[in-house]
Amino acid sequence: MQIYDRGRQSMLDVTIESSASGNATKIEMRSSSPTRSQHFGTMCVAPQLNSLRLLSVDNRKRTAVRQVGSRFLEIADRMKGDLGLSSVSLSCQDEGAAKFFYKAGFRFIGSGADAKNAALKHHLDHSQGALPDEIVFLGDMEKR
Ligand SMILES: CC(C)(COP(=O)(O)OP(=O)(O)OC[C@H]1O[C@@H](n2cnc3c(N)ncnc32)[C@H](O)[C@@H]1OP(=O)(O)O)[C@@H](O)C(=O)NCCC(=O)NCCS
């Protein structure tokens, strides 16, 4: 698996390590190089009803690398399939992260979801600077 190294402007090999804690799985992404054992990020997931719930996902080195979040979402998609679940879901707690999840195919669900999804689509299609103030882009999101 590879992510993008902003400094070198090239792809970088990474290694995935996963460990179980109760019914949750913690997945860590590290540099494959034995001499540069950097920790790029962690994702925690747990099955909940018919969904694989994303409990947390982070790129710890956002100024140095990108695509960490995208690689984690690919892993979550595969886990969803392997476990026979019907969706990947999360409670979005950051409006910047909402753009990331929306681009990856996640949509808000529940109360006010249609307005949030329409406004986020409009925002991304027109690549405007700030998100509109009148809508709070937080809450449950899902990708089927
Ligand atoms: C959200 C997060 C995991 C994304 O990881 P990442 O490795 O930076 O994301 P990627 O490089 O895979 O980005 C994929 C796309 O999403 C966009 N994106 C990522 N983070 C974004 C943000 N905060 N705001 C707007 N767009 C964002 C990228 O620009 C990219 O767009 P492109 O495909 O058009 O180039 C990372 O920003 C992070 O760790 N945030 C802090 C923790 C957090 O908020 N976690 C989610 C809790 S709900």
Side-chain angles (χ1 to χ4, degrees):
M1 183 168 271
Q2 294 189 315
I3 58 173
Y4 185 77
D5 185 327
R6 294 180 191 269
R8 296 179 176 201
Q9 300 189 0
S10 62
M11 299 306 285
L12 178 70
D13 288 329
V14 289
T15 302
I16 299 300
E17 293 163 17
S18 82
S19 56
S21 140
N23 78 334
T25 304
K26 180 168 148 186
I27 296 147
E28 292 183 284
M29 189 183 292
R30 294 181 187 279
S31 156
S32 296
S33 154
T35 50
R36 298 175 69 235
S37 192
Q38 295 189 73
H39 183 201
F40 293 116
T42 306
M43 174 173 74
C44 291
V45 296
Q48 255 177 37
L49 300 174
N50 279 329
S51 185
L52 184 72
R53 196 80 179 159
L54 291 185
L55 305 175
S56 67
V57 52
D58 78 326
N59 174 348
R60 292 183 66 205
K61 303 258 162 92
R62 267 176 283 170
T63 52
V65 292
R66 53 189 182 86
Q67 301 178 354
V68 172
S70 299
R71 295 290 98 83
F72 276 136
L73 294 184
E74 289 165 13
I75 293 170
D77 249 345
R78 277 205 297 277
M79 289 179 75
K80 176 198 83 171
D82 291 347
L83 293 167
L85 300 169
S86 56
S87 66
V88 180
S89 64
L90 73 139
S91 173
C92 182
Q93 291 153 34
D94 179 279
E95 291 199 324
K99 295 188 209 173
F100 162 74
F101 288 114
Y102 191 95
K103 281 186 171 182
F106 286 77
R107 295 295 177 265
F108 282 102
I109 54 170
S111 165
D114 288 349
K116 290 181 195 175
N117 288 324
L120 204 43
K121 179 177 185 332
H122 184 270
H123 172 83
L124 291 171
D125 285 350
H126 296 82
S127 53
Q128 297 158 353
L131 281 165
D133 281 344
E134 59 279 10
I135 297 179
V136 179
F137 296 92
L138 304 177
D140 281 343
M141 298 184 87
E142 181 178 77
K143 182 183 178 186
R144 292 207 158 257

